[in-house]
Amino acid sequence: MTAHSIESSILNIFQKYTFEWCAENERFNFTFFYDNQDFDSFDLLQKSGLMESSFSQLSSKTRKRPTTLDQLKHGNKYSVIVSSSEDIRLYPSFKELILSNPVESPDHFFIFENPKKPIIYKNGDEVIISSPLKHYLEICKIWKLLSNKADDSDNNSMLFLYRKKLTITSRYNEEMLEREFDGLTNFCDTMENDDTDKTEKNHILQNVLFKFLFCEKEEDRFSYLLSNFSKFENRFDDDYQAYIVGFSFKELRVEYEEKYREYIQSINESISSGITKTFAIPASIYLTSTRVQSIQTASEKKADEIFAANIGIGFISLAVTVFIFLMVINELHSLKALQFEYKSLMERLEEKSTPAYKKVEQLSIAIKNRITFARNVFLFIGSITVLHSIISIAWVYSRSTIHYSPNLHSNPIQCITNFLTAIIKAISWAIN
Protein backbone atom coordinates (compact mmCIF):
# COMPACT_ATOMS: atom_id res chain seq x y z
CA MET A 1 0.00 0.00 0.00
CA THR A 2 1.85 3.03 -1.32
CA ALA A 3 1.03 6.72 -1.02
CA HIS A 4 0.57 6.90 -4.79
CA SER A 5 -1.93 4.03 -4.85
CA ILE A 6 -3.92 5.57 -1.97
CA GLU A 7 -3.98 8.91 -3.77
CA SER A 8 -5.21 7.22 -6.97
CA SER A 9 -7.97 5.42 -5.06
CA ILE A 10 -9.13 8.65 -3.38
CA LEU A 11 -9.29 10.48 -6.71
CA ASN A 12 -11.08 7.58 -8.35
CA ILE A 13 -13.86 7.45 -5.72
CA PHE A 14 -14.33 11.23 -5.41
CA GLN A 15 -14.42 11.79 -9.16
CA LYS A 16 -16.68 8.85 -9.95
CA TYR A 17 -19.35 8.99 -7.24
CA THR A 18 -21.49 11.75 -5.75
CA PHE A 19 -20.94 12.88 -2.17
CA GLU A 20 -22.21 15.32 0.42
CA TRP A 21 -20.25 17.02 3.19
CA CYS A 22 -21.53 16.73 6.73
CA ALA A 23 -19.99 19.70 8.56
CA GLU A 24 -21.28 18.58 11.94
CA ASN A 25 -19.38 15.29 11.84
CA GLU A 26 -16.68 16.46 9.42
CA ARG A 27 -17.16 13.61 6.97
CA PHE A 28 -18.31 12.80 3.46
CA ASN A 29 -21.47 10.76 2.79
CA PHE A 30 -21.18 8.85 -0.48
CA THR A 31 -24.18 7.47 -2.37
CA PHE A 32 -23.36 5.20 -5.30
CA PHE A 33 -24.27 2.25 -7.48
CA TYR A 34 -21.59 -0.26 -6.77
CA ASP A 35 -19.20 -1.28 -9.57
CA ASN A 36 -17.08 -4.40 -9.10
CA GLN A 37 -14.18 -2.61 -10.77
CA ASP A 38 -13.91 -0.33 -7.74
CA PHE A 39 -13.39 -3.12 -5.25
CA ASP A 40 -9.64 -2.47 -4.96
CA SER A 41 -10.16 1.25 -4.43
CA PHE A 42 -12.74 0.65 -1.67
CA ASP A 43 -10.50 -1.95 -0.07
CA LEU A 44 -7.47 0.35 -0.07
CA LEU A 45 -9.45 3.23 1.45
CA GLN A 46 -10.74 0.97 4.22
CA LYS A 47 -7.25 -0.30 5.01
CA SER A 48 -5.90 3.25 5.16
CA GLY A 49 -8.63 4.29 7.62
CA LEU A 50 -10.38 6.71 5.25
CA MET A 51 -13.56 4.67 4.66
CA GLU A 52 -15.79 2.92 7.16
CA SER A 53 -15.95 -0.85 6.92
CA SER A 54 -19.77 -0.98 6.82
CA PHE A 55 -22.09 0.07 3.98
CA SER A 56 -25.79 0.89 3.93
CA GLN A 57 -27.83 -0.60 1.10
CA LEU A 58 -30.43 1.82 -0.23
CA SER A 59 -33.64 0.30 -1.65
CA SER A 60 -37.34 1.15 -1.74
CA LYS A 61 -38.17 -2.17 -0.07
CA THR A 62 -35.30 -2.90 2.26
CA ARG A 63 -32.48 -1.21 4.07
CA LYS A 64 -29.72 -3.66 4.86
CA ARG A 65 -26.24 -3.00 6.21
CA PRO A 66 -23.65 -5.49 4.88
CA THR A 67 -20.78 -6.20 7.26
CA THR A 68 -17.99 -6.48 4.73
CA LEU A 69 -17.01 -5.14 1.36
CA ASP A 70 -17.39 -8.65 -0.11
CA GLN A 71 -21.18 -8.51 0.39
CA LEU A 72 -21.64 -5.59 -2.00
CA LYS A 73 -23.47 -6.53 -5.22
CA HIS A 74 -22.77 -5.02 -8.56
CA GLY A 75 -25.40 -2.45 -9.60
CA ASN A 76 -27.00 -2.08 -6.17
CA LYS A 77 -27.21 1.32 -4.50
CA TYR A 78 -25.28 1.90 -1.31
CA SER A 79 -24.02 4.65 0.96
CA VAL A 80 -20.79 4.84 2.94
CA ILE A 81 -18.94 7.35 5.10
CA VAL A 82 -15.50 8.67 4.13
CA SER A 83 -13.53 10.84 6.54
CA SER A 84 -10.00 12.04 7.23
CA SER A 85 -7.37 9.79 8.78
CA GLU A 86 -4.37 10.70 10.91
CA ASP A 87 -2.12 10.82 7.86
CA ILE A 88 -4.45 12.17 5.17
CA ARG A 89 -6.95 15.00 5.62
CA LEU A 90 -9.95 15.44 3.30
CA TYR A 91 -11.82 18.75 2.92
CA PRO A 92 -14.65 19.91 0.67
CA SER A 93 -13.30 23.50 0.49
CA PHE A 94 -10.69 25.93 1.80
CA LYS A 95 -13.31 27.29 4.17
CA GLU A 96 -13.46 23.97 6.00
CA LEU A 97 -9.67 23.71 5.92
CA ILE A 98 -9.16 27.05 7.70
CA LEU A 99 -11.92 26.23 10.18
CA SER A 100 -10.23 23.03 11.30
CA ASN A 101 -6.58 23.94 10.67
CA PRO A 102 -6.34 27.73 10.39
CA VAL A 103 -2.63 28.13 11.13
CA GLU A 104 -1.08 24.66 11.04
CA SER A 105 -1.06 22.97 7.68
CA PRO A 106 -1.70 19.19 7.65
CA ASP A 107 1.17 17.19 6.19
CA HIS A 108 -1.01 15.69 3.46
CA PHE A 109 -4.46 16.90 2.45
CA PHE A 110 -7.02 16.97 -0.40
CA ILE A 111 -9.52 19.74 -1.16
CA PHE A 112 -12.43 18.68 -3.39
CA GLU A 113 -13.94 22.08 -4.13
CA ASN A 114 -13.79 20.97 -7.75
CA PRO A 115 -13.74 17.13 -7.77
CA LYS A 116 -12.48 17.12 -11.36
CA LYS A 117 -9.47 19.25 -10.36
CA PRO A 118 -8.88 18.63 -6.67
CA ILE A 119 -6.10 20.41 -4.77
CA ILE A 120 -3.50 18.03 -3.37
CA TYR A 121 -0.69 19.02 -1.02
CA LYS A 122 2.10 17.05 0.64
CA ASN A 123 4.50 18.46 3.18
CA GLY A 124 7.56 19.71 1.31
CA ASP A 125 5.79 20.50 -1.95
CA GLU A 126 6.86 23.86 -3.39
CA VAL A 127 3.92 26.05 -4.36
CA ILE A 128 5.10 28.89 -6.60
CA ILE A 129 1.98 30.01 -8.47
CA SER A 130 -0.16 32.55 -6.63
CA SER A 131 -3.21 30.66 -5.41
CA PRO A 132 -5.33 30.14 -2.27
CA LEU A 133 -3.10 27.17 -1.41
CA LYS A 134 0.06 29.31 -1.60
CA HIS A 135 -1.52 32.05 0.52
CA TYR A 136 -2.77 29.51 3.07
CA LEU A 137 0.74 28.12 3.48
CA GLU A 138 2.09 31.67 3.84
CA ILE A 139 -0.44 32.41 6.58
CA CYS A 140 0.71 29.28 8.41
CA LYS A 141 4.29 30.48 8.06
CA ILE A 142 3.46 33.93 9.42
CA TRP A 143 1.73 32.38 12.42
CA LYS A 144 4.68 30.09 13.06
CA LEU A 145 7.19 32.96 12.91
CA LEU A 146 5.17 35.07 15.33
CA SER A 147 4.25 32.25 17.71
CA ASN A 148 7.92 31.26 18.01
CA LYS A 149 8.59 34.73 19.44
CA ALA A 150 5.50 34.76 21.69
CA ASP A 151 5.62 34.21 25.44
CA ASP A 152 2.93 31.54 25.09
CA SER A 153 1.20 30.05 22.06
CA ASP A 154 -0.80 27.19 20.61
CA ASN A 155 -2.83 26.69 17.43
CA ASN A 156 -5.66 28.85 18.76
CA SER A 157 -3.86 31.91 20.11
CA MET A 158 -0.54 33.47 21.07
CA LEU A 159 0.32 35.77 23.95
CA PHE A 160 2.90 38.58 24.12
CA LEU A 161 3.88 40.22 27.43
CA TYR A 162 6.72 42.57 26.41
CA ARG A 163 4.96 45.89 27.11
CA LYS A 164 1.38 44.96 27.93
CA LYS A 165 -0.59 41.78 27.53
CA LEU A 166 -1.42 41.26 23.85
CA THR A 167 -3.42 38.22 22.74
CA ILE A 168 -3.81 37.26 19.08
CA THR A 169 -6.27 34.53 18.09
CA SER A 170 -5.95 32.43 14.95
CA ARG A 171 -9.18 33.63 13.42
CA TYR A 172 -9.38 34.99 9.88
CA ASN A 173 -11.83 34.77 7.02
CA GLU A 174 -11.51 33.02 3.68
CA GLU A 175 -10.86 36.33 1.89
CA MET A 176 -7.32 36.33 3.29
CA LEU A 177 -6.51 33.44 0.92
CA GLU A 178 -6.83 35.86 -2.00
CA ARG A 179 -4.31 38.37 -0.63
CA GLU A 180 -0.63 38.77 -1.44
CA PHE A 181 1.70 39.16 1.55
CA ASP A 182 4.31 41.58 0.27
CA GLY A 183 7.46 41.68 2.36
CA LEU A 184 7.08 38.14 3.72
CA THR A 185 10.38 36.99 2.20
CA ASN A 186 12.29 39.86 3.80
CA PHE A 187 10.50 39.29 7.11
CA CYS A 188 11.42 35.58 7.06
CA ASP A 189 15.05 36.35 6.22
CA THR A 190 15.28 38.77 9.13
CA MET A 191 13.55 36.58 11.70
CA GLU A 192 14.66 33.10 10.62
CA ASN A 193 17.81 33.14 8.52
CA ASP A 194 19.71 35.92 10.30
CA ASP A 195 20.87 34.83 13.76
CA THR A 196 22.21 38.23 14.82
CA ASP A 197 20.47 40.40 17.43
CA LYS A 198 17.89 37.72 18.32
CA THR A 199 16.82 39.28 21.61
CA GLU A 200 16.67 42.79 20.18
CA LYS A 201 14.64 41.61 17.17
CA ASN A 202 12.13 39.92 19.48
CA HIS A 203 11.70 43.13 21.46
CA ILE A 204 11.29 45.20 18.28
CA LEU A 205 8.76 42.69 16.89
CA GLN A 206 6.64 42.69 20.05
CA ASN A 207 6.77 46.48 20.26
CA VAL A 208 5.60 46.84 16.64
CA LEU A 209 2.85 44.23 17.16
CA PHE A 210 1.63 46.06 20.24
CA LYS A 211 1.43 49.42 18.45
CA PHE A 212 -0.10 47.83 15.35
CA LEU A 213 -2.81 45.65 16.95
CA PHE A 214 -3.55 46.97 20.42
CA CYS A 215 -6.53 49.05 19.28
CA GLU A 216 -8.10 46.15 17.36
CA LYS A 217 -10.52 43.65 18.85
CA GLU A 218 -8.85 40.47 20.02
CA GLU A 219 -10.72 38.23 17.57
CA ASP A 220 -9.95 40.58 14.63
CA ARG A 221 -6.23 41.14 15.27
CA PHE A 222 -4.80 38.35 13.15
CA SER A 223 -7.14 39.13 10.27
CA TYR A 224 -6.17 42.82 10.50
CA LEU A 225 -2.48 41.87 10.55
CA LEU A 226 -2.88 39.74 7.42
CA SER A 227 -4.86 42.47 5.64
CA ASN A 228 -2.10 45.00 6.36
CA PHE A 229 0.91 42.74 6.41
CA SER A 230 2.94 44.90 4.03
CA LYS A 231 2.47 47.94 6.29
CA PHE A 232 3.36 45.87 9.36
CA GLU A 233 6.52 44.51 7.73
CA ASN A 234 7.61 48.01 6.71
CA ARG A 235 7.22 49.28 10.27
CA PHE A 236 9.17 46.36 11.65
CA ASP A 237 11.91 46.78 9.07
CA ASP A 238 12.14 50.53 9.73
CA ASP A 239 12.45 50.01 13.49
CA TYR A 240 15.02 47.25 13.05
CA GLN A 241 17.10 49.29 10.62
CA ALA A 242 16.96 52.23 13.04
CA TYR A 243 18.26 49.93 15.76
CA ILE A 244 21.06 48.66 13.50
CA VAL A 245 22.13 52.20 12.64
CA GLY A 246 22.09 53.24 16.30
CA PHE A 247 23.93 50.13 17.41
CA SER A 248 26.49 50.44 14.62
CA PHE A 249 27.03 54.10 15.50
CA LYS A 250 27.70 53.25 19.14
CA GLU A 251 29.86 50.28 18.21
CA LEU A 252 31.92 52.35 15.77
CA ARG A 253 32.39 55.15 18.28
CA VAL A 254 33.57 52.74 21.00
CA GLU A 255 35.91 51.02 18.54
CA TYR A 256 37.53 54.26 17.43
CA GLU A 257 37.83 55.55 20.99
CA GLU A 258 39.74 52.38 21.82
CA LYS A 259 41.94 52.95 18.77
CA TYR A 260 42.55 56.51 19.97
CA ARG A 261 43.75 55.25 23.35
CA GLU A 262 46.05 52.74 21.67
CA TYR A 263 47.61 55.42 19.44
CA ILE A 264 48.05 57.88 22.31
CA GLN A 265 49.70 55.16 24.39
CA SER A 266 52.03 54.29 21.50
CA ILE A 267 53.00 57.97 21.01
CA ASN A 268 53.60 58.50 24.73
CA GLU A 269 55.75 55.38 24.96
CA SER A 270 57.77 56.57 21.96
CA ILE A 271 58.36 59.99 23.57
CA SER A 272 59.31 58.44 26.92
CA SER A 273 61.68 55.99 25.24
CA GLY A 274 63.35 58.77 23.22
CA ILE A 275 63.81 61.01 26.26
CA THR A 276 65.24 58.11 28.28
CA LYS A 277 67.78 57.34 25.57
CA THR A 278 68.96 60.96 25.52
CA PHE A 279 70.44 60.43 28.98
CA ALA A 280 73.40 59.08 27.05
CA ILE A 281 74.20 62.67 25.98
CA PRO A 282 74.92 63.99 29.51
CA ALA A 283 76.95 60.86 30.18
CA SER A 284 78.92 61.46 27.00
CA ILE A 285 79.44 65.12 27.92
CA TYR A 286 80.70 64.11 31.35
CA LEU A 287 83.07 61.54 29.81
CA THR A 288 84.37 64.00 27.25
CA SER A 289 84.85 66.87 29.67
CA THR A 290 86.55 64.85 32.42
CA ARG A 291 88.54 62.24 30.55
CA VAL A 292 89.94 64.13 27.59
CA GLN A 293 93.46 65.20 28.59
CA SER A 294 95.52 68.03 27.25
CA ILE A 295 98.58 66.99 25.28
CA GLN A 296 100.17 70.37 25.93
CA THR A 297 100.78 69.57 29.61
CA ALA A 298 101.85 65.96 28.98
CA SER A 299 105.36 64.72 28.50
CA GLU A 300 106.43 63.64 25.03
CA LYS A 301 106.59 60.02 26.17
CA LYS A 302 102.89 59.93 27.08
CA ALA A 303 101.66 62.22 24.30
CA ASP A 304 100.83 59.36 21.93
CA GLU A 305 98.85 57.53 24.61
CA ILE A 306 96.90 60.65 25.55
CA PHE A 307 96.16 61.37 21.90
CA ALA A 308 94.89 57.83 21.34
CA ALA A 309 92.72 58.03 24.48
CA ASN A 310 91.25 61.35 23.37
CA ILE A 311 90.48 59.95 19.91
CA GLY A 312 88.74 56.97 21.54
CA ILE A 313 86.61 59.22 23.75
CA GLY A 314 85.80 61.38 20.74
CA PHE A 315 84.70 58.26 18.85
CA ILE A 316 82.45 57.21 21.74
CA SER A 317 80.87 60.67 21.74
CA LEU A 318 80.39 60.42 17.97
CA ALA A 319 78.88 56.93 18.30
CA VAL A 320 76.39 58.21 20.88
CA THR A 321 75.42 60.96 18.47
CA VAL A 322 74.97 58.52 15.55
CA PHE A 323 72.87 56.06 17.58
CA ILE A 324 70.60 58.77 19.00
CA PHE A 325 70.29 60.39 15.57
CA LEU A 326 69.28 57.04 14.03
CA MET A 327 66.77 56.57 16.85
CA VAL A 328 65.30 60.02 16.13
CA ILE A 329 64.98 59.23 12.39
CA ASN A 330 63.31 55.89 13.18
CA GLU A 331 60.81 57.48 15.58
CA LEU A 332 59.97 60.21 13.08
CA HIS A 333 59.23 57.55 10.44
CA SER A 334 57.09 55.65 12.95
CA LEU A 335 55.12 58.80 13.77
CA LYS A 336 54.58 59.47 10.09
CA ALA A 337 53.31 55.90 9.52
CA LEU A 338 51.04 56.13 12.59
CA GLN A 339 49.60 59.43 11.39
CA PHE A 340 48.90 57.97 7.94
CA GLU A 341 47.25 54.90 9.46
CA TYR A 342 44.99 56.93 11.74
CA LYS A 343 44.10 59.33 8.93
CA SER A 344 43.06 56.38 6.73
CA LEU A 345 41.06 54.95 9.65
CA MET A 346 39.18 58.21 10.10
CA GLU A 347 38.46 58.47 6.36
CA ARG A 348 36.93 54.97 6.41
CA LEU A 349 34.84 55.94 9.44
CA GLU A 350 33.56 59.04 7.63
CA GLU A 351 32.49 56.83 4.72
CA LYS A 352 30.72 54.35 7.03
CA SER A 353 28.97 56.80 9.33
CA THR A 354 29.22 60.58 9.18
CA PRO A 355 27.54 61.06 12.61
CA ALA A 356 30.02 58.67 14.22
CA TYR A 357 32.91 60.51 12.53
CA LYS A 358 31.72 63.86 13.86
CA LYS A 359 31.56 62.42 17.38
CA VAL A 360 35.21 61.26 17.30
CA GLU A 361 36.57 64.06 15.11
CA GLN A 362 38.01 65.78 18.19
CA LEU A 363 39.96 62.61 18.95
CA SER A 364 41.52 62.82 15.50
CA ILE A 365 42.59 66.40 16.18
CA ALA A 366 44.04 65.35 19.54
CA ILE A 367 46.03 62.58 17.85
CA LYS A 368 47.32 65.03 15.25
CA ASN A 369 48.41 67.51 17.95
CA ARG A 370 50.10 64.77 19.95
CA ILE A 371 52.00 63.55 16.89
CA THR A 372 53.12 67.13 16.18
CA PHE A 373 54.34 67.48 19.77
CA ALA A 374 56.21 64.16 19.56
CA ARG A 375 57.81 65.21 16.26
CA ASN A 376 59.00 68.47 17.82
CA VAL A 377 60.43 66.56 20.78
CA PHE A 378 62.45 64.27 18.53
CA LEU A 379 63.62 67.15 16.34
CA PHE A 380 64.81 68.89 19.50
CA ILE A 381 66.59 65.71 20.62
CA GLY A 382 68.20 65.46 17.19
CA SER A 383 69.35 69.08 17.35
CA ILE A 384 70.79 68.65 20.85
CA THR A 385 72.56 65.50 19.68
CA VAL A 386 74.17 67.22 16.69
CA LEU A 387 75.19 70.17 18.88
CA HIS A 388 76.65 67.80 21.45
CA SER A 389 78.61 66.03 18.72
CA ILE A 390 80.05 69.29 17.37
CA ILE A 391 81.05 70.53 20.83
CA SER A 392 82.57 67.17 21.80
CA ILE A 393 84.63 66.90 18.62
CA ALA A 394 85.77 70.49 18.97
CA TRP A 395 86.75 69.85 22.59
CA VAL A 396 88.67 66.71 21.74
CA TYR A 397 90.35 68.50 18.84
CA SER A 398 91.36 71.47 20.97
CA ARG A 399 92.81 69.26 23.69
CA SER A 400 94.65 66.93 21.30
CA THR A 401 96.24 69.07 18.60
CA ILE A 402 97.89 72.10 20.31
CA HIS A 403 101.65 72.07 19.48
CA TYR A 404 101.50 68.33 18.82
CA SER A 405 102.14 66.21 15.79
CA PRO A 406 101.23 62.58 16.58
CA ASN A 407 103.37 59.66 15.57
CA LEU A 408 100.98 57.81 13.27
CA HIS A 409 103.06 54.65 13.51
CA SER A 410 102.88 54.37 17.30
CA ASN A 411 100.97 51.33 18.67
CA PRO A 412 97.99 53.21 20.26
CA ILE A 413 97.48 55.33 17.16
CA GLN A 414 97.73 52.29 14.91
CA CYS A 415 95.11 50.44 17.00
CA ILE A 416 92.68 53.36 16.84
CA THR A 417 93.21 53.66 13.08
CA ASN A 418 92.62 49.95 12.48
CA PHE A 419 89.51 50.01 14.68
CA LEU A 420 87.99 52.98 12.83
CA THR A 421 88.80 51.38 9.46
CA ALA A 422 87.01 48.17 10.52
CA ILE A 423 83.96 50.14 11.69
CA ILE A 424 83.78 52.07 8.39
CA LYS A 425 84.03 48.84 6.38
CA ALA A 426 81.30 47.25 8.47
CA ILE A 427 78.99 50.23 7.93
CA SER A 428 79.69 50.20 4.17
CA TRP A 429 78.92 46.45 4.01
CA ALA A 430 75.64 46.92 5.90
CA ILE A 431 74.57 49.75 3.58
CA ASN A 432 75.39 47.74 0.44
Side-chain angles (χ1 to χ4, degrees):
M1 184 172 59
T2 64
H4 179 71
S5 60
I6 294 175
E7 183 176 308
S8 299
S9 298
I10 293 173
L11 295 178
N12 178 43
I13 297 301
F14 273 85
Q15 291 174 352
K16 186 173 183 178
Y17 300 123
T18 60
F19 58 84
E20 291 181 353
W21 170 252
C22 180
E24 183 179 353
N25 298 319
E26 295 185 353
R27 64 189 187 183
F28 293 91
N29 292 325
F30 275 81
T31 302
F32 60 94
F33 290 94
Y34 178 65
D35 188 342
N36 288 334
Q37 295 181 352
D38 297 325
F39 178 86
D40 292 337
S41 296
F42 281 112
D43 184 53
L44 199 56
L45 292 182
Q46 287 183 344
K47 289 179 179 179
S48 61
L50 294 169
M51 180 180 285
E52 288 191 353
S53 58
S54 58
F55 296 79
S56 294
Q57 182 175 355
L58 303 179
S59 172
S60 58
K61 297 181 180 180
T62 179
R63 183 180 179 87
K64 186 178 180 182
R65 182 178 292 276
T67 55
T68 64
L69 179 61
D70 296 334
Q71 294 177 339
L72 298 182
K73 294 182 180 180
H74 181 78
N76 286 354
K77 190 176 183 180
Y78 299 94
S79 68
V80 69
I81 295 172
V82 175
S83 58
S84 301
S85 67
E86 292 184 2
D87 299 325
I88 301 175
R89 311 297 295 178
L90 306 174
Y91 302 100
S93 63
F94 274 105
K95 181 179 180 180
E96 295 298 329
L97 171 62
I98 63 176
L99 283 174
S100 59
N101 294 82
V103 292
E104 185 178 16
S105 170
D107 290 336
H108 192 186
F109 62 85
F110 294 74
I111 297 177
F112 293 99
E113 208 156 21
N114 181 358
K116 300 299 181 182
K117 294 181 179 180
I119 295 172
I120 306 171
Y121 175 77
K122 291 181 182 178
N123 187 25
D125 289 352
E126 186 175 3
V127 183
I128 300 176
I129 300 175
S130 179
S131 62
L133 174 60
K134 179 176 182 289
H135 300 151
Y136 168 73
L137 297 175
E138 288 176 341
I139 290 172
C140 293
K141 191 168 188 177
I142 292 171
W143 180 270
K144 182 180 179 181
L145 285 172
L146 297 179
S147 62
N148 286 339
K149 310 302 179 183
D151 296 287
D152 186 33
S153 65
D154 54 31
N155 290 335
N156 298 315
S157 65
M158 50 186 166
L159 176 66
F160 296 93
L161 300 173
Y162 175 56
R163 292 184 61 182
K164 291 183 179 180
K165 182 179 179 182
L166 180 71
T167 303
I168 303 175
T169 59
S170 58
R171 296 182 183 178
Y172 60 94
N173 53 50
E174 194 176 354
E175 294 176 1
M176 295 300 108
L177 300 181
E178 303 298 329
R179 290 185 175 272
E180 297 288 343
F181 301 108
D182 297 331
L184 178 58
T185 302
N186 182 58
F187 185 66
C188 292
D189 289 339
T190 304
M191 299 302 297
E192 269 190 332
N193 302 331
D194 186 1
D195 292 332
T196 59
D197 307 322
K198 282 187 175 181
T199 303
E200 289 75 12
K201 280 190 289 190
N202 290 349
H203 290 165
I204 293 170
L205 173 65
Q206 295 193 33
N207 190 49
V208 173
L209 280 172
F210 178 81
K211 292 179 180 179
F212 201 72
L213 301 175
F214 186 71
C215 295
E216 301 296 322
K217 293 182 180 179
E218 183 175 310
E219 61 272 16
D220 297 333
R221 284 172 179 167
F222 191 53
S223 184
Y224 179 81
L225 177 66
L226 296 176
S227 301
N228 300 274
F229 185 80
S230 178
K231 186 187 297 183
F232 163 77
E233 195 279 330
N234 286 335
R235 287 191 187 180
F236 171 78
D237 189 62
D238 289 344
D239 286 5
Y240 181 58
Q241 293 303 323
Y243 162 76
I244 290 176
V245 171
F247 178 77
S248 300
F249 166 77
K250 182 179 179 181
E251 189 179 51
L252 284 171
R253 189 180 66 182
V254 170
E255 178 185 350
Y256 278 74
E257 286 176 351
E258 290 178 354
K259 288 284 187 182
Y260 165 78
R261 287 190 287 270
E262 291 177 5
Y263 287 134
I264 286 292
Q265 183 179 0
S266 176
I267 295 170
N268 290 339
E269 289 177 352
S270 179
I271 294 173
S272 299
S273 175
I275 293 174
T276 301
K277 291 173 182 177
T278 56
F279 284 130
I281 295 177
S284 175
I285 292 173
Y286 174 78
L287 179 66
T288 304
S289 60
T290 59
R291 296 300 178 184
V292 173
Q293 300 180 38
S294 175
I295 293 179
Q296 187 177 6
T297 59
S299 61
E300 293 184 4
K301 184 177 180 180
K302 293 185 177 181
D304 289 343
E305 294 179 4
I306 292 174
F307 180 78
N310 289 351
I311 291 298
I313 293 171
F315 175 76
I316 292 173
S317 178
L318 183 62
V320 169
T321 300
V322 171
F323 291 149
I324 293 179
F325 196 74
L326 290 175
M327 180 271 295
V328 168
I329 293 175
N330 177 66
E331 294 297 341
L332 289 174
H333 280 293
S334 298
L335 290 173
K336 185 177 180 181
L338 189 146
Q339 186 176 19
F340 176 77
E341 179 183 347
Y342 195 74
K343 183 179 179 181
S344 300
L345 198 67
M346 295 303 294
E347 288 176 353
R348 291 197 298 271
L349 174 61
E350 189 174 14
E351 291 177 0
K352 288 181 181 178
S353 173
T354 302
Y357 171 77
K358 290 181 179 179
K359 285 290 184 181
V360 298
E361 189 175 9
Q362 294 300 321
L363 302 182
S364 177
I365 296 174
I367 287 284
K368 184 178 180 180
N369 293 338
R370 194 62 180 169
I371 289 175
T372 301
F373 172 75
R375 184 182 290 112
N376 292 335
V377 168
F378 286 115
L379 290 175
F380 177 75
I381 292 174
S383 301
I384 292 297
T385 303
V386 172
L387 182 62
H388 154 261
S389 176
I390 294 172
I391 293 174
S392 296
I393 292 173
W395 176 252
V396 171
Y397 178 79
S398 65
R399 299 284 284 177
S400 303
T401 59
I402 298 177
H403 305 297
Y404 175 70
S405 296
N407 182 7
L408 298 179
H409 297 287
S410 63
N411 290 334
I413 298 299
Q414 190 66 41
C415 289
I416 293 296
T417 303
N418 293 338
F419 180 73
L420 291 175
T421 302
I423 291 297
I424 292 171
K425 289 182 178 179
I427 294 173
S428 300
W429 177 80
I431 293 174
N432 295 329

